[in-house]
Amino acid sequence: MKRVAIVGASLAGLSAARALRTQGFDGQLTVIGDEPQRPYDRPPLSKEFLCGNLSEADLALESDDDDLQADWRLGVAAAKLDGCGGAIELADGTRIDADGVVIATGSRARRWPGCEDMAGVHVIRTIADAVALREDLVPGAQLVVIGAGFIGAEVASTARKLGLDVTVVEAAPAPLQMQLGSWLGGVVAGAHAANGTKLICGVGVAGLVGEQRALRASGSVGRVTGVELADGRHLPADVVVVGIGGVPNIDWLQGSGLELGNGVLCGPNGQTALPNVVAVGDCAAWLDAATDTHHRVEHWTGALERPAMAVAALLAGGLRQDATVKPPYFWSDQYGSRIQFAGLARPDDEITIEEGSCEERCLLATYRRDGRLVAVLGIDQPRLFTRWRRQLVPTPTAV
């Protein structure tokens, strides 16, 4: 293997590039990215960067001792993958030939249908998204956040700090219910209330409304004025942030020979249906050996750690590679507290508060299934969380 192309220039792509060099690949390395920026850290976009405490330069992921000797093709998206020949066609018509390909195209924020051009309606996934939202976060303005997941809750927390009136709407009965369960999701709900954020759970959004204007040079058809709920309520809004999940960037892979579903379907080490192609990061749905199902892990640590396993499989040319996948881990900073979670929980898991209390919103909780520890939650318990997290058993994999 003399030429490897990495499609995606964010954390997963950078981690793959580092792994290639660390594991001895000394051939031609090309990194393709649709954004003009070099790899940058995305978690601060909804927090420190959004409120102006970090600059764009502070987000840079590359270190001074990175010597990747890569050819960076930035500001142009990949348009097609030739699965047989291993070539990538870019949106500008350029063709990149490669013996091996790492797909790391990530995901894009899901937008509210029909409101893509409405002023005041935002998603947050890129630096450009965060900059645009920051301009609308004016003290005293009314912000409605759709979705109480990680992004929605962090934006709500930041906006309250900046002096906005904030309402969060969540269709599920509690925030982060899918990840934490309804009981401990209710603890997170208490943090919203304690910090002056209005939280409406168990109600969907029917649509957004706005003042109609003539088309402007920006292409906007008007500015948002409110959010209509499914139960008939109307929420006035100067700004709306849509935080309803991400869509894997795999459209360009149609017809490539890869198996596509909710992401690129991969084996337990990121190997795809094509022997010279692996996939990592938010766009990759790896096979979980414990459950025999594919799922995407859309967390920072997955994009940091898993590419090394996929690169080993790529360089091995299909030979068996034993490895272990760490349980998924995420953290979220909300209202001055840090929420940490590791593992995969199910609604029927047995939950035990090992330390602290729900009332104080400072606790360590464990999730057990058939007596086996499967997940750990910590709220402002970093040291204790680290000790419990070590007890989670990694999943062995092989390709």
Side-chain angles (χ1 to χ4, degrees):
M1 191 169 291
K2 300 297 183 182
R3 302 166 299 177
V4 173
I6 300 172
V7 189
S10 194
L11 176 60
L14 176 62
S15 298
R18 287 170 170 164
L20 279 162
R21 293 310 191 198
T22 300
Q23 295 181 30
F25 176 72
D26 59 2
Q28 178 182 329
L29 178 59
T30 304
V31 184
I32 301 160
D34 60 348
E35 293 183 70
Q37 294 91 354
R38 302 279 284 211
Y40 63 87
D41 207 15
R42 295 186 191 275
L45 293 180
S46 56
K47 298 173 292 234
E48 298 95 334
F49 183 80
L50 187 59
C51 66
N53 291 340
L54 291 181
S55 68
E56 185 172 332
D58 293 325
L59 302 180
L61 284 171
E62 293 172 276
S63 60
D64 293 338
D65 59 355
D66 273 328
D67 185 20
L68 300 176
Q69 299 179 1
D71 176 16
W72 293 83
R73 305 290 184 97
L74 302 177
V76 58
K80 183 179 179 181
L81 172 66
D82 178 355
C84 296
I88 298 124
E89 182 179 316
L90 306 186
D92 63 3
T94 304
R95 178 185 171 96
I96 306 295
D97 292 307
D99 306 311
V101 176
V102 180
I103 298 172
T105 42
S107 63
R108 60 188 181 276
R110 193 184 302 276
R111 297 180 178 271
W112 196 262
C115 297
E116 294 84 355
D117 297 323
M118 184 178 285
V121 179
H122 298 269
V123 296
I124 184 163
R125 173 68 182 175
T126 67
I127 284 178
D129 292 336
V131 170
L133 174 58
R134 183 196 292 169
E135 294 175 355
D136 271 351
L137 296 185
V138 179
Q142 293 179 301
L143 167 67
V144 175
V145 179
I146 303 174
F150 313 119
I151 295 296
E154 289 171 359
V155 169
S157 172
T158 301
R160 285 296 297 147
K161 186 187 301 184
L162 294 174
L164 280 79
D165 182 292
V166 181
T167 301
V168 178
V169 181
E170 170 57 54
L176 299 176
Q177 178 169 316
M178 183 178 296
Q179 294 82 9
L180 309 184
S182 57
W183 177 28
L184 296 179
V187 176
V188 176
H192 286 290
N195 287 276
T197 296
K198 293 182 284 293
L199 177 64
I200 301 173
C201 288
V203 180
V205 171
L208 309 186
V209 294
E211 58 178 349
Q212 298 301 313
R213 302 176 183 170
L215 284 171
R216 302 180 298 184
S218 64
S220 173
V221 295
R223 185 172 184 89
V224 69
T225 59
V227 175
E228 302 286 353
L229 301 186
D231 63 4
R233 278 181 284 178
H234 173 82
L235 304 178
D238 303 304
V239 189
V240 172
V241 173
V242 181
I244 54 175
V247 180
N249 291 320
I250 59 173
D251 297 349
W252 67 285
L253 295 170
Q254 296 291 339
S256 64
L258 295 176
E259 295 182 58
L260 306 177
N262 181 24
V264 180
L265 302 187
C266 305
N269 284 22
Q271 282 197 314
T272 71
L274 300 176
N276 62 330
V277 179
V278 296
V280 297
D282 290 4
C283 70
W286 284 27
L287 180 67
D288 185 338
T291 62
D292 198 32
T293 58
H294 292 88
H295 68 268
R296 295 190 297 125
V297 175
E298 299 179 84
H299 303 309
W300 192 90
T301 49
L304 179 70
E305 298 170 350
R306 293 191 173 200
M309 299 169 58
V311 162
L314 180 68
L315 295 179
L319 298 178
R320 180 184 177 90
Q321 295 291 301
D322 294 321
T324 55
V325 177
K326 294 181 180 179
Y329 164 70
F330 70 80
W331 78 91
S332 180
D333 296 317
Q334 304 175 20
Y335 305 108
S337 291
R338 169 153 289 198
I339 300 170
Q340 296 172 283
F341 189 87
L344 291 171
R346 295 178 184 172
D348 57 348
D349 288 340
E350 178 187 352
I351 301 175
T352 304
I353 306 298
E354 305 286 351
E355 188 75 29
S357 70
C358 297
E359 293 73 23
E360 296 177 357
R361 292 192 298 279
C362 179
L363 57 88
L364 189 289
T366 56
Y367 297 69
R368 289 181 172 84
R369 191 177 310 141
D370 299 325
R372 180 172 57 90
L373 183 69
V374 294
V376 180
L377 166 68
I379 301 179
D380 288 336
Q381 293 278 2
R383 292 185 179 179
L384 195 57
F385 174 83
T386 299
R387 291 203 297 270
W388 277 96
R389 182 188 175 192
R390 293 193 186 109
Q391 300 181 43
L392 292 172
V393 179
T395 302
T397 70
V399 295

